[in-house]
């Protein structure tokens, strides 16, 4: 069976051979171009800010996320997906261009890749150039210079991107403190009726996204709609009723709340940004190691989880609207986050590191008729599920892929799923190439489930590697260790994460030449997943110097 075109594109019913035969899947990758858009699938890309996989569908027993769990039940879920750098702008520019930070040259917030690295295409731009209407709602690109103060308009988007008007209050004094006054706090459960404009940014983004879906329902072109949610990014400003889902007495601390003994100081980051909030300032926490008082640790965790449930409700409203508009049978849904967030693990409260808690992200894809059967007339795949309804039955977990995968693979994977030509693998270097991929097309994972015994999966889990990196200004924690500017970067921590271990070397880095010096090793980390899943017992041994695997450099 070797079709001239991907059958996926031309029929809403996918022949089983396309699903399960390696041969036809290759055919799917290399065919589709713009003239064949008649039956093209739409894309809804949901990007969450600072969301680690603390979700029911990832096995979290405490967090209420019934709507995301429901999406997972109809999706293929990647159990081990990793961001390439655990900070917003570099991660977003990386996965939206399909290039690693070493290619976008963005490790901070201060440059626009088209000018300072190469004129790389983005995922939405690629869909736009293939006949899609592309739309951005909320935080998709990081705002500011890293997207030319325009979310990369006009290249990426068919219309000017939408930003919720109430976003401007996020960092202002809108949180009622114990003294009855308004403060710019970290913990900020609010009465929505009382806040300026009587709404919150993510509520507005959901409403705008639904309005756009209604508009696109009658469009003759397929759409690519990216919706970027702000929560659970700090400050934890969310409707206060969500706090009730997490009584403080039920909130535990991180299982490993202390800075680990064998952790090299360069690997630690001092989580400066929460310290700037008024409620945290009042605690006089010691810099750089803390700790935060135990009761406040519980409150931070409570508010993070409450923010996740509030986010889940927004996702539920959006997906049920998609369903009501009968678009669930023609829309691919991808759900992910830019990186995670440490909730006290290793004594840290931020992203900005190479630990799994900050690099690991949720990643799932729903593909109509492929990861779930097509909804029958009148059937709803995504009815709204109330996070407050404790009877919300546990969902079927859906299909899982356990191999480590990278967020930089989102671009080729979405292209492949939509039947567009998958960009070719990048040459090295690739600064002059507008369109190529550094990640992989994850389509092969969509065959059956890729448990190790699966004879249909050609990959070897021991060869499946996710790369991440993080820059530092010095060997010990400084005020700017969280977010060094490019010119201050002296050390880069390069990580490989396999299914068995994480191995990181912190090496000298020259920010003028963008060059790492792998013979200038400052520190190393090695953790085995089976014996030390939380990454608290560093097994790196200095005598390993000089034995750095070739594969460490992506
Ligand atoms: C960069 O790419 C965009 C679209 O791909 C194109 O319109 C623009 O002219 C290019 N800019 C340069 C300087 O090549
Ligand atoms: C960035 O934005 C400015 C101001 O709108 C514009 O003049 C410039 O051409 C943009 N840069 C690129 C590379 O498109
Ligand atoms: C809190 O914990 C208690 C005891 O384990 C449990 O019965 C109760 O359901 C929990 N409450 C919530 C809201 O999870
Ligand atoms: C923090 O320090 C200030 C000024 O030094 C002091 O007034 C305040 O009581 C301290 N707060 C706590 C919680 O220790
Ligand atoms: C999706 O479902 C709607 C309503 O049941 C139907 O009109 C439409 O043709 C279906 N689209 C596809 C691509 O199957």
């Amino acid at each position: 069976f070797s079709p001239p075109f991907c059958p996926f594109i031309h029929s809403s019913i996918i022949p089983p051979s396309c699903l399960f035969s390696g041969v036809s899947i290759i055919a799917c990758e290399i065919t589709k171009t713009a003239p064949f858009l008649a039956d093209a699938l739409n894309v809804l890309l949901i990007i969450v800010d600072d969301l680690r996989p603390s979700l029911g569908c990832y096995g979290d027993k405490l967090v209420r996320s019934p709507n995301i769990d429901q999406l997972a039940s109809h999706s293929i879920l990647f159990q081990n997906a990793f961001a390439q750098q655990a900070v917003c702008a570099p991660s977003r520019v990386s996965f939206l261009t399909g290039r690693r930070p070493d290619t976008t040259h963005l490790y901070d917030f201060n440059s626009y890749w088209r000018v300072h690295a190469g004129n790389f295409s983005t995922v939405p731009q690629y869909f736009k150039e293939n006949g899609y209407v592309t739309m951005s709602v909320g935080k998709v690109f990081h705002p500011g210079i890293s997207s030319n103060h325009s979310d990369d308009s006009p290249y990426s988007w068919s219309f000017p991107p939408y930003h919720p008007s109430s976003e401007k209050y996020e960092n202002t004094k809108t949180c009622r403190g114990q003294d009855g006054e308004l403060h710019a706090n970290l913990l900020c459960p609010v009465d929505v009726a009382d806040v300026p404009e009587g709404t919150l940014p993510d509520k507005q983004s959901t409403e705008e996204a639904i309005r756009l879906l209604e508009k696109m329902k009658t469009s003759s072109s397929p759409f690519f709609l990216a919706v970027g949610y702000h929560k659970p990014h700090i400050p934890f400003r969310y409707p206060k009723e969500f706090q009730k889902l997490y009584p403080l007495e039920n909130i535990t601390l991180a299982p490993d709340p202390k800075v680990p003994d064998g952790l090299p100081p360069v690997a630690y980051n001092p989580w400066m940004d929460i310290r700037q909030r008024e409620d945290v300032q009042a605690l006089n926490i010691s810099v750089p190691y803390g700790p935060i008082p135990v009761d406040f640790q519980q409150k931070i965790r409570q508010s993070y989880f409450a923010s996740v449930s509030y986010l889940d409700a927004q996702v539920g409203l959006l997906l049920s609207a998609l369903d009501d508009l009968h678009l669930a049978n023609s829309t691919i849904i991808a759900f992910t986050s830019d990186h995670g967030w440490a909730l006290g693990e290793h004594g840290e409260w931020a992203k900005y590191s190479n630990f799994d808690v900050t690099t690991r992200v949720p990643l799932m894809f729903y593909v109509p008729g492929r990861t779930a059967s097509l909804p029958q007339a009148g059937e709803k795949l995504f009815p709204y599920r109330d996070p407050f309804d404790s009877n919300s039955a546990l969902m079927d977990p859906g299909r899982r892929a356990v191999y480590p995968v990278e967020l930089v693979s989102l671009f080729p994977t979405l292209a492949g799923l939509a039947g567009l030509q998958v960009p070719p693998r990048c040459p090295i270097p690739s600064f002059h190439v507008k369109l190529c991929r550094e990640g992989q097309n994850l389509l092969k994972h969509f065959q059956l489930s890729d448990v190790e015994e699966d004879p249909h999966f050609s990959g070897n889990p021991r060869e499946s590697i996710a790369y991440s990196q993080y820059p530092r200004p010095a060997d010990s924690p400084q005020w700017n260790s969280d977010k060094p500017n490019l010119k201050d970067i002296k050390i880069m921590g390069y990580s490989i994460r396999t299914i068995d271990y994480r191995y990181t070397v912190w090496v000298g880095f020259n920010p003028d030449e963008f060059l790492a010096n792998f013979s200038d090793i400052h520190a190393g980390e090695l953790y085995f997943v089976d014996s030390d899943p939380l990454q608290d017992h560093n097994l790196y041994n200095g005598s390993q110097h000089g034995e750095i695997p070739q594969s460490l450099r992506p």
Side-chain angles (χ1 to χ4, degrees):
F1 181 72
S2 154
F5 297 108
C6 178
F8 191 24
I9 302 310
H10 299 281
S11 149
S12 52
I13 298 165
I14 300 122
S17 52
C18 181
L19 270 177
F20 300 128
S21 132
V23 174
S24 53
I25 282 176
I26 289 162
C28 292
E29 290 185 27
I30 57 172
T31 50
K32 180 69 182 359
T33 47
F36 303 102
L37 282 174
D39 299 324
L41 292 171
N42 307 305
V43 176
L44 172 61
L45 170 60
I46 301 174
I47 302 168
V48 188
D49 209 355
D50 290 14
L51 177 65
R52 60 195 239 156
S54 292
L55 298 167
C57 53
Y58 278 87
D60 193 300
K61 297 279 189 291
L62 179 70
V63 173
R64 297 269 184 91
S65 53
N67 293 289
I68 299 168
D69 300 348
Q70 176 169 259
L71 172 63
S73 77
H74 300 308
S75 299
I76 178 163
L77 175 149
F78 287 87
Q79 193 74 43
N80 286 297
F82 294 89
Q84 275 48 76
Q85 190 185 326
V87 59
C88 294
S91 176
R92 287 167 191 253
V93 166
S94 168
F95 70 74
L96 289 167
T97 60
R99 313 286 184 106
R100 300 178 191 284
D102 279 345
T103 306
T104 65
H105 283 174
L106 185 70
Y107 312 111
D108 59 13
F109 296 82
N110 307 329
S111 65
Y112 183 35
W113 76 91
R114 291 188 191 273
V115 176
H116 291 278
N119 195 12
F120 311 140
S121 293
T122 68
V123 198
Q125 176 187 349
Y126 188 55
F127 276 80
K128 186 178 165 202
E129 289 168 358
N130 279 281
Y132 278 68
V133 175
T134 61
M135 299 165 287
S136 172
V137 169
K139 183 173 171 184
V140 176
F141 280 96
H142 190 83
I145 183 62
S146 64
S147 57
N148 203 26
H149 300 285
S150 65
D151 301 292
D152 194 42
S153 290
Y155 309 113
S156 286
W157 309 111
S158 306
F159 310 112
Y162 169 85
H163 291 281
S165 57
S166 64
E167 199 183 318
K168 58 179 171 289
Y169 304 110
E170 277 294 280
N171 287 304
T172 60
K173 299 189 182 219
T174 54
C175 322
R176 188 75 58 192
Q178 279 163 355
D179 56 4
E181 303 290 315
L182 292 174
H183 295 278
N185 283 346
L186 173 66
L187 311 181
C188 192
V190 295
D191 183 343
V192 177
D194 274 355
V195 298
E197 296 187 23
T199 188
L200 294 173
D202 287 342
K203 280 175 167 290
Q204 289 186 290
S205 290
T206 303
E207 286 156 12
E208 175 66 10
I210 293 172
R211 205 180 62 78
L212 291 173
L213 289 175
E214 283 163 357
K215 237 168 79 181
M216 291 317 295
K217 187 177 164 55
T218 53
S219 158
S220 57
S221 306
F223 66 81
F224 179 107
L225 171 61
V227 181
Y229 284 114
H230 287 78
K231 291 306 109 175
H233 192 291
I234 66 161
F236 303 119
R237 188 167 174 264
Y238 59 93
K240 64 178 192 221
E241 55 273 21
F242 285 90
Q243 204 176 42
K244 295 202 189 81
L245 291 171
Y246 304 99
L248 264 186
E249 59 271 22
N250 286 29
I251 305 291
T252 57
L253 300 185
D256 53 347
K258 298 220 163 72
V259 181
D261 284 341
L263 186 69
V266 69
Y268 180 86
N269 62 284
W271 36 279
M272 299 304 281
D273 43 13
I274 71 163
R275 298 171 193 264
Q276 283 151 34
R277 311 301 302 176
E278 288 180 32
D279 47 353
V280 180
Q281 263 177 28
L283 299 170
N284 295 347
I285 294 162
S286 158
V287 183
Y289 291 109
I292 291 179
V294 164
D295 62 330
F296 202 84
Q297 292 193 29
Q298 287 173 298
K299 286 181 184 165
I300 297 178
R301 290 168 66 87
Q302 174 190 48
S303 275
Y304 184 91
F305 299 144
S307 300
V308 172
S309 293
Y310 160 57
L311 159 81
D312 179 78
Q314 299 310 309
V315 171
L317 293 170
L318 176 60
L319 296 187
S320 75
L322 181 89
D323 222 340
D324 289 343
L325 291 165
H326 304 296
L327 290 168
N329 59 358
S330 56
T331 304
I332 295 168
I333 305 168
F335 178 95
T336 193
S337 162
D338 50 1
H339 45 72
W341 212 79
L343 282 167
E345 292 86 1
H346 323 109
E348 296 186 318
W349 300 90
K351 46 247 190 179
Y352 315 133
S353 81
N354 275 318
F355 281 113
D356 278 13
V357 283
T358 75
T359 55
R360 187 163 165 245
V361 291
L363 178 65
M364 61 189 90
F365 297 87
Y366 159 77
V367 188
R370 194 149 186 197
T371 59
S373 27
L374 284 178
Q376 303 299 302
E379 184 197 357
K380 290 201 69 173
L381 282 187
F382 304 110
Y384 180 75
R385 300 178 81 227
D386 184 354
F388 292 91
D389 179 358
S390 52
N391 296 323
S392 290
L394 271 178
M395 299 298 296
D396 167 345
R399 298 231 316 270
R400 314 239 140 186
V402 297
Y403 294 77
V405 298
E406 306 180 287
L407 214 40
V408 73
S409 296
L410 185 75
F411 186 158
T413 303
L414 282 178
L417 290 173
L420 303 181
Q421 189 162 354
V422 174
R425 185 171 277 287
C426 289
I428 301 172
S430 67
F431 299 106
H432 59 292
V433 184
K434 265 175 132 167
L435 183 66
C436 63
R437 64 179 168 90
E438 291 189 349
Q440 297 178 27
N441 180 358
L442 300 177
L443 224 60
K444 61 177 184 249
H445 294 273
F446 286 67
Q447 311 161 64
L448 302 170
S449 61
D450 66 352
V451 290
E452 284 180 45
E453 300 75 44
D454 177 8
H456 297 267
F457 183 74
S458 56
N460 175 350
R462 305 233 136 41
E463 286 167 9
S464 184
I465 293 176
Y467 295 93
S468 302
Q469 64 191 95
Y470 211 87
R472 294 279 187 243
D475 287 300
S476 57
Q478 310 291 316
W479 68 273
N480 61 343
S481 288
D482 293 335
K483 293 180 277 186
N485 287 331
L486 176 63
K487 66 174 174 39
D488 299 322
I489 297 173
K490 301 255 180 357
I491 300 161
M492 188 69 78
Y494 286 96
S495 280
I496 49 178
R497 176 64 161 81
T498 73
I499 199 147
D500 298 316
Y501 62 88
R502 170 163 78 85
Y503 183 55
T504 303
V505 282
W506 297 87
V507 300
F509 187 84
N510 175 339
D512 302 320
E513 310 283 335
F514 297 95
L515 275 183
N517 179 355
F518 277 77
S519 51
D520 176 21
I521 297 173
H522 291 237
E525 293 171 83
L526 176 63
Y527 310 98
F528 287 96
V529 174
D530 279 350
S531 55
D532 184 17
L534 303 174
Q535 308 180 330
D536 287 308
H537 306 285
N538 182 13
L539 297 177
Y540 180 86
N541 166 352
S543 68
Q544 287 157 332
H545 281 198
E547 290 175 36
I548 295 169
Q550 273 303 311
S551 54
L552 198 56
R553 196 79 204 259

